Amino acid sequence: LPGTRSAVAGAMVLDKPTSYADATSYNNFYEFGTDKSDPAERAHTLKPRPWTVSVEGECAKPGRYDLDALLKLSAMEERIYRLRCVEGWSMVIPWVGYSLSELIKRAEPTGKGRFVEFTTLADRAQMPGLRSPVLDWPYVEALRMDEAMHPLALLTFGMYGEVLPNQNGAPVRIVLPWKYGFKSAKSIVKIRFVEKQPRSSWEQSAPQEYGFYSNVNPNVPHPRWSQATERRIGEDGLFAKKRPTLMFNGYEPQVGQLYAGMDLKKFY
Amino acid sequence: MKRAISAALLHPVAKPLLFLLCLLPLGWLVYGAIANQLGANPAEAIIRGLGDWTLRGLWLTLAITPLRELTGLAALARFRRMLGVFSFFYASLHLLAYGWLDQGLDLAEIAADIAKRPFILMGFLAWALMLPLAATSFNRAIKALGAKRWQALHKAVYAVAVIGLMHFIWMRAGKSNFAEPAVYGVILAALLGWRVYRRMRRK
């Protein structure tokens, strides 16, 4: 899946990309199991084609897009983003896709469309992890409209120049480099514009631990561990000290103004 | 049959063999780290692997007495101490791996982490409780303490197992992933339940 170098500010970090083997074998995708090796071992049952994404809710032009229509909707760009997991590890991944705003603009959300909600596929036949009640399926994530419209919010179809492997959220996912990884919903089947702030799956599962915003923030520890440092997968040696985590994962110049004046300790 | 097993258990090679067996998990982790076979996050794999083997060692130690009484193979008792000491060995490596690979040997950070995360505190507590048991695991200590007091002290292993299990459950609680801790819990309940049952029968 080819993409041209993105011209969006902050879209091409200079960090060394994580190896393809690590990025495709160490994943959190609970629909296929809770171990990080589970998705790579079990996601072959996911059928990424045919695939449709339904765009609905508070918008003038709702619709159902099949995958080919989505692939042609806007020009594919390659973007190299840092990815910081809430668990304290990080990767650097070259994604392929286009700004989520391209799709949102076409749907023409109304004034009532203040939030964008993403729903992941929940099909027991394709996803063995759904048998376990770790989360209230389907997996739901959401963004405030201005976050979703930010050019860095990527509607993603590929990585490393290829189409997304199943374990990484095929055939279409979002990637939000300034937020903890779990905000970036995978294998999306529904995008809905809503007036009230939705409750995301992790927020529902443990509200005191996972907030709606979940911006990468070294100054706000997770209730049970520090978020000040991280281990870069494949790069930081076994005995190396963990590297400091950057505010908004290093994307503060680009996204900082979205949260101006907000108490990020309260809205974590 | 029972005779043959008993003879094998009493064979002079049995103990050195068990010693080598107990070193296998460590050998695998060291090999895996050098040969890059531990996946994308080797530090996590090492820390968790050592923790798994600590629990397994403890559970095996606690299984000796029930097995001995249920099978009538008295010779099994010779292996209990070695299994117990190996559990402590793996617990210590687990603690060291956490302190070094996860916390960069920063003592202030470690202290803060123990205070911050209840599951770390539990793990640390279980390890600390194992210290006096490991320190009195040689014959002279038994003599010095007297068998009764030594036995009373070593009852602490039950607390170590329960706290160790809590440490494991709590670690997985962040992701509500209780399948594996449940297996450990059921086995421990059986091992401890057997002791309670036997005690009640004797009264």
Side-chain angles (χ1 to χ4, degrees):
Chain A
L1 189 70
T4 52
R5 233 182 114 82
S6 178
V8 170
M12 300 296 273
V13 297
L14 299 172
D15 306 41
K16 183 171 160 245
T18 302
S19 78
Y20 181 83
D22 283 349
T24 54
S25 64
Y26 190 76
N27 310 101
N28 279 319
F29 195 169
Y30 278 21
E31 283 79 349
F32 296 100
T34 49
D35 277 357
K36 279 194 265 300
S37 55
D38 284 341
E41 284 163 19
R42 299 158 83 182
H44 57 89
T45 49
L46 176 72
K47 289 197 278 295
R49 270 175 190 276
W51 193 275
T52 46
V53 177
S54 141
V55 178
E56 54 191 71
E58 306 288 350
C59 61
K61 291 184 175 163
R64 287 173 66 81
Y65 293 81
D66 77 28
L67 187 59
D68 289 310
L70 278 180
L71 285 165
K72 277 182 271 177
L73 190 115
S74 187
M76 289 289 166
E77 296 177 12
E78 176 162 77
R79 302 190 182 183
I80 304 177
Y81 282 171
R82 281 183 289 267
L83 167 80
R84 168 63 155 81
C85 177
V86 73
E87 297 165 345
W89 52 268
S90 61
M91 294 187 183
V92 178
I93 299 182
W95 302 105
V96 185
Y98 50 78
S99 292
L100 173 64
S101 60
E102 297 291 341
L103 176 63
I104 295 178
K105 275 187 240 160
R106 281 167 176 79
E108 297 177 13
T110 65
K112 278 186 170 176
R114 295 179 52 234
F115 293 90
V116 189
E117 182 191 82
F118 306 88
T119 306
T120 295
L121 178 74
D123 178 4
R124 275 174 169 243
Q126 298 179 60
M127 300 170 139
L130 296 180
R131 268 173 245 141
S132 149
V134 271
L135 287 170
D136 189 11
W137 313 110
Y139 191 82
V140 171
E141 260 307 339
L143 296 169
R144 222 168 50 192
M145 184 57 84
D146 60 338
E147 297 180 304
M149 289 298 289
H150 193 282
L152 283 176
L154 189 69
L155 193 66
T156 308
F157 302 89
M159 59 194 272
Y160 298 82
E162 298 177 10
V163 296
L164 280 175
N166 287 355
Q167 63 266 36
N168 295 84
V172 56
R173 62 172 297 174
I174 47 169
V175 177
L176 310 155
W178 69 97
K179 291 177 179 283
Y180 293 120
F182 68 88
K183 289 293 289 182
S184 297
K186 303 186 177 89
S187 304
I188 292 169
V189 291
K190 188 160 75 181
I191 297 174
R192 196 160 68 101
F193 302 102
V194 294
E195 188 173 9
K196 286 206 184 105
Q197 181 175 307
R199 280 196 100 189
S200 63
S201 290
W202 277 110
E203 218 185 333
Q204 189 149 338
S205 158
Q208 66 289 354
E209 303 199 10
Y210 304 98
F212 175 79
Y213 288 94
S214 294
N215 292 313
V216 176
N217 188 340
N219 310 314
V220 176
H222 183 277
R224 291 187 292 118
W225 63 84
S226 161
Q227 290 290 27
T229 58
E230 67 197 51
R231 182 185 298 281
R232 181 65 54 82
I233 296 297
E235 190 150 351
D236 294 344
L238 204 47
F239 298 102
K241 269 208 135 182
K242 291 197 274 187
R243 61 180 69 199
T245 288
L246 306 171
M247 187 66 204
F248 296 113
N249 204 20
Y251 297 93
E252 188 166 22
Q254 291 84 32
V255 302
Q257 91 285 350
L258 292 173
Y259 310 101
M262 275 175 71
D263 179 357
L264 296 176
K265 284 209 159 69
K266 192 171 162 214
F267 299 101
Y268 56 90
Chain B
M1 178 69 183
K2 194 168 143 190
R3 265 225 162 115
I5 297 175
S6 196
L9 292 174
L10 288 166
H11 197 278
V13 178
K15 265 193 181 178
L17 199 66
L18 179 67
F19 188 90
L20 290 177
L21 274 177
C22 288
L23 282 173
L24 271 184
L26 178 64
W28 161 248
L29 286 172
V30 170
Y31 164 77
I34 294 166
N36 205 7
Q37 294 286 307
L38 296 178
N41 196 344
E44 184 186 72
I46 290 170
I47 295 168
R48 292 192 179 175
L50 291 169
D52 286 343
W53 283 104
T54 303
L55 288 185
R56 287 168 197 162
L58 272 169
W59 271 224
L60 283 172
T61 310
L62 287 171
I64 290 284
T65 302
L67 273 181
R68 195 194 65 196
E69 295 208 4
L70 292 172
T71 60
L73 288 166
L76 278 171
R78 340 172 35 219
F79 307 108
R80 193 173 65 170
R81 174 160 50 183
M82 193 189 288
L83 287 171
V85 173
F86 259 107
S87 309
F88 174 72
F89 173 66
Y90 277 98
S92 302
L93 288 177
H94 178 55
L95 175 64
L96 179 69
Y98 152 79
W100 197 348
L101 308 184
D102 194 61
Q103 301 290 318
L105 285 183
D106 187 330
L107 291 182
E109 279 293 313
I110 294 172
D113 202 40
I114 289 176
K116 174 111 198 151
R117 300 203 268 180
F119 94 87
I120 300 277
L121 176 67
M122 286 288 142
F124 188 76
L125 208 66
W127 174 81
L129 258 177
M130 287 173 100
L131 271 178
L133 308 197
T136 55
S137 64
F138 48 95
N139 292 337
R140 281 236 312 272
I142 304 176
K143 254 190 211 140
L145 277 170
K148 271 234 165 92
R149 260 187 292 174
W150 186 90
Q151 266 187 339
L153 172 66
H154 281 248
K155 289 240 159 40
V157 69
Y158 304 134
V160 170
V162 170
I163 298 170
L165 178 66
M166 282 168 62
H167 167 66
F168 190 33
I169 294 173
W170 220 321
M171 190 271 273
R172 292 293 176 87
K175 303 189 135 195
S176 344
N177 183 12
F178 299 116
E180 247 186 294
V183 174
Y184 283 82
V186 166
I187 298 173
L188 183 64
L191 294 174
L192 298 185
W194 176 83
R195 288 170 165 85
V196 173
Y197 170 75
R198 188 186 49 165
R199 233 195 143 126
M200 298 206 319
R201 282 275 306 259
R202 278 194 191 154
K203 267 182 189 169

